[in-house]
PDB file of all heavy atoms in Angstrom:
ATOM      1  N   VAL A  56     101.703  64.860  69.305  1.00 98.00           N
ATOM      2  CA  VAL A  56     100.252  64.876  69.212  1.00 98.00           C
ATOM      3  C   VAL A  56      99.712  65.527  70.477  1.00 98.00           C
ATOM      4  O   VAL A  56     100.182  65.250  71.581  1.00 98.00           O
ATOM      5  CB  VAL A  56      99.682  63.443  69.073  1.00 98.00           C
ATOM      6  CG1 VAL A  56      98.171  63.445  69.111  1.00 98.00           C
ATOM      7  CG2 VAL A  56     100.178  62.798  67.802  1.00 98.00           C
ATOM      8  N   SER A  57      98.735  66.390  70.308  1.00 98.00           N
ATOM      9  CA  SER A  57      98.083  66.997  71.465  1.00 98.00           C
ATOM     10  C   SER A  57      96.614  67.237  71.149  1.00 98.00           C
ATOM     11  O   SER A  57      96.211  67.252  69.987  1.00 98.00           O
ATOM     12  CB  SER A  57      98.757  68.310  71.867  1.00 98.00           C
ATOM     13  OG  SER A  57      98.713  69.231  70.806  1.00 98.00           O
ATOM     14  N   VAL A  58      95.844  67.408  72.200  1.00 98.00           N
ATOM     15  CA  VAL A  58      94.432  67.744  72.065  1.00 98.00           C
ATOM     16  C   VAL A  58      94.255  69.154  72.609  1.00 98.00           C
ATOM     17  O   VAL A  58      94.666  69.446  73.728  1.00 98.00           O
ATOM     18  CB  VAL A  58      93.528  66.765  72.855  1.00 98.00           C
ATOM     19  CG1 VAL A  58      92.077  67.199  72.788  1.00 98.00           C
ATOM     20  CG2 VAL A  58      93.700  65.356  72.333  1.00 98.00           C
ATOM     21  N   TRP A  59      93.694  70.005  71.783  1.00 97.00           N
ATOM     22  CA  TRP A  59      93.333  71.358  72.207  1.00 97.00           C
ATOM     23  C   TRP A  59      91.832  71.389  72.352  1.00 97.00           C
ATOM     24  O   TRP A  59      91.109  70.717  71.616  1.00 97.00           O
ATOM     25  CB  TRP A  59      93.746  72.377  71.148  1.00 97.00           C
ATOM     26  CG  TRP A  59      95.211  72.610  71.072  1.00 97.00           C
ATOM     27  CD1 TRP A  59      96.164  71.732  70.639  1.00 97.00           C
ATOM     28  CD2 TRP A  59      95.899  73.791  71.435  1.00 97.00           C
ATOM     29  NE1 TRP A  59      97.397  72.300  70.716  1.00 97.00           N
ATOM     30  CE2 TRP A  59      97.263  73.572  71.193  1.00 97.00           C
ATOM     31  CE3 TRP A  59      95.502  75.017  71.944  1.00 97.00           C
ATOM     32  CZ2 TRP A  59      98.218  74.535  71.453  1.00 97.00           C
ATOM     33  CZ3 TRP A  59      96.457  75.971  72.181  1.00 97.00           C
ATOM     34  CH2 TRP A  59      97.805  75.730  71.944  1.00 97.00           C
ATOM     35  N   GLY A  60      91.344  72.191  73.283  1.00 96.00           N
ATOM     36  CA  GLY A  60      89.906  72.264  73.436  1.00 96.00           C
ATOM     37  C   GLY A  60      89.465  73.394  74.338  1.00 96.00           C
ATOM     38  O   GLY A  60      90.274  74.207  74.802  1.00 96.00           O
ATOM     39  N   LEU A  61      88.159  73.401  74.565  1.00 95.00           N
ATOM     40  CA  LEU A  61      87.534  74.411  75.401  1.00 95.00           C
ATOM     41  C   LEU A  61      86.522  73.711  76.292  1.00 95.00           C
ATOM     42  O   LEU A  61      85.663  72.968  75.813  1.00 95.00           O
ATOM     43  CB  LEU A  61      86.829  75.449  74.527  1.00 95.00           C
ATOM     44  CG  LEU A  61      86.267  76.676  75.208  1.00 95.00           C
ATOM     45  CD1 LEU A  61      87.386  77.555  75.736  1.00 95.00           C
ATOM     46  CD2 LEU A  61      85.424  77.466  74.219  1.00 95.00           C
ATOM     47  N   VAL A  62      86.636  73.917  77.609  1.00 93.00           N
ATOM     48  CA  VAL A  62      85.686  73.344  78.550  1.00 93.00           C
ATOM     49  C   VAL A  62      84.851  74.486  79.126  1.00 93.00           C
ATOM     50  O   VAL A  62      85.359  75.588  79.333  1.00 93.00           O
ATOM     51  CB  VAL A  62      86.401  72.537  79.669  1.00 93.00           C
ATOM     52  CG1 VAL A  62      87.249  73.411  80.538  1.00 93.00           C
ATOM     53  CG2 VAL A  62      85.419  71.745  80.494  1.00 93.00           C
ATOM     54  N   ARG A  63      83.575  74.204  79.337  1.00 91.00           N
ATOM     55  CA  ARG A  63      82.640  75.229  79.826  1.00 91.00           C
ATOM     56  C   ARG A  63      82.019  74.765  81.138  1.00 91.00           C
ATOM     57  O   ARG A  63      81.609  73.615  81.276  1.00 91.00           O
ATOM     58  CB  ARG A  63      81.550  75.464  78.797  1.00 91.00           C
ATOM     59  CG  ARG A  63      80.465  76.454  79.267  1.00 91.00           C
ATOM     60  CD  ARG A  63      79.491  76.772  78.164  1.00 91.00           C
ATOM     61  NE  ARG A  63      80.218  77.493  77.128  1.00 91.00           N
ATOM     62  CZ  ARG A  63      79.904  77.453  75.837  1.00 91.00           C
ATOM     63  NH1 ARG A  63      78.883  76.747  75.417  1.00 91.00           N
ATOM     64  NH2 ARG A  63      80.614  78.131  74.957  1.00 91.00           N
ATOM     65  N   ASN A  64      81.910  75.703  82.059  1.00 88.00           N
ATOM     66  CA  ASN A  64      81.206  75.447  83.312  1.00 88.00           C
ATOM     67  C   ASN A  64      79.741  75.826  83.103  1.00 88.00           C
ATOM     68  O   ASN A  64      79.415  76.997  82.980  1.00 88.00           O
ATOM     69  CB  ASN A  64      81.812  76.278  84.448  1.00 88.00           C
ATOM     70  CG  ASN A  64      81.113  76.051  85.767  1.00 88.00           C
ATOM     71  OD1 ASN A  64      80.282  75.163  85.907  1.00 88.00           O
ATOM     72  ND2 ASN A  64      81.445  76.869  86.744  1.00 88.00           N
ATOM     73  N   GLU A  65      78.868  74.828  83.059  1.00 86.00           N
ATOM     74  CA  GLU A  65      77.443  75.081  82.874  1.00 86.00           C
ATOM     75  C   GLU A  65      76.691  75.042  84.195  1.00 86.00           C
ATOM     76  O   GLU A  65      75.474  75.123  84.219  1.00 86.00           O
ATOM     77  CB  GLU A  65      76.859  74.086  81.873  1.00 86.00           C
ATOM     78  CG  GLU A  65      77.437  74.297  80.482  1.00 86.00           C
ATOM     79  CD  GLU A  65      76.770  73.448  79.428  1.00 86.00           C
ATOM     80  OE1 GLU A  65      76.070  72.464  79.768  1.00 86.00           O
ATOM     81  OE2 GLU A  65      76.955  73.777  78.243  1.00 86.00           O
ATOM     82  N   GLY A  66      77.428  74.927  85.294  1.00 81.00           N
ATOM     83  CA  GLY A  66      76.820  74.949  86.614  1.00 81.00           C
ATOM     84  C   GLY A  66      76.824  76.351  87.189  1.00 81.00           C
ATOM     85  O   GLY A  66      77.339  77.294  86.580  1.00 81.00           O
ATOM     86  N   GLU A  67      76.253  76.485  88.372  1.00 81.00           N
ATOM     87  CA  GLU A  67      76.167  77.792  89.021  1.00 81.00           C
ATOM     88  C   GLU A  67      77.318  78.055  89.974  1.00 81.00           C
ATOM     89  O   GLU A  67      77.504  79.181  90.421  1.00 81.00           O
ATOM     90  CB  GLU A  67      74.835  77.903  89.766  1.00 81.00           C
ATOM     91  CG  GLU A  67      73.645  77.864  88.834  1.00 81.00           C
ATOM     92  CD  GLU A  67      72.328  77.952  89.579  1.00 81.00           C
ATOM     93  OE1 GLU A  67      72.329  78.324  90.762  1.00 81.00           O
ATOM     94  OE2 GLU A  67      71.296  77.646  88.960  1.00 81.00           O
TER      95      GLU A  67
END
Side-chain angles (χ1 to χ4, degrees):
V56 174
S57 60
V58 176
W59 287 69
L61 188 68
V62 65
R63 176 174 294 151
N64 180 9
E65 294 187 344
E67 296 179 15

